[in-house]
């Protein structure tokens, strides 16, 4: 499984936006489908809320793409 670190400079990023920002989904509709179909886990639990707030320290996994995203905060 590929492990990527995604750095954000905000308090949180919404799950569907994270998928687009990380290049997992090309467009918002694709990100929405991935999340609502149950293809994404957040911290080991299936998440179907595309607006879920993902904060530094959270781990988002997309098993069908064999990708794990670790979100880290950065100072601005």
């Amino acid at each position: 499984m590929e492990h990527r670190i995604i750095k954000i400079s905000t308090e949180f990023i919404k799950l569907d936006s994270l998928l687009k920002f990380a290049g997992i989904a090309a467009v918002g509709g694709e990100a929405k489908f991935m999340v609502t179909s149950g293809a994404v886990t957040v911290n080991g639990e299936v998440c179907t809320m595309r607006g879920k707030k993902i904060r530094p320290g959270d781990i988002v996994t997309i098993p069908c793409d064999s990708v794990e995203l670790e979100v880290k905060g950065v100072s601005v």
Side-chain angles (χ1 to χ4, degrees):
M1 179 166 293
E2 178 185 358
H3 181 86
R4 297 185 200 168
I5 295 176
I6 305 298
K7 295 181 180 179
I8 61 171
S9 59
T10 56
E11 179 183 348
F12 65 86
I13 185 170
K14 291 184 179 179
L15 181 55
D16 59 346
S17 297
L18 174 67
L19 296 176
K20 291 186 296 183
F21 182 69
I24 303 297
V27 293
E30 184 181 3
K32 177 183 175 182
F33 177 77
M34 290 174 73
V35 174
T36 57
S37 68
V40 178
T41 65
V42 176
N43 298 324
E45 296 184 18
V46 172
C47 181
T48 56
M49 301 181 310
R50 64 188 180 116
K52 173 142 178 84
K53 293 177 180 177
I54 306 299
R55 299 177 189 281
D58 287 339
I59 303 289
V60 176
T61 306
I62 305 91
C64 60
D65 288 343
S66 295
V67 176
E68 179 179 82
L69 305 174
E70 180 180 354
V71 179
K72 294 199 178 236
V74 296
S75 300
V76 283

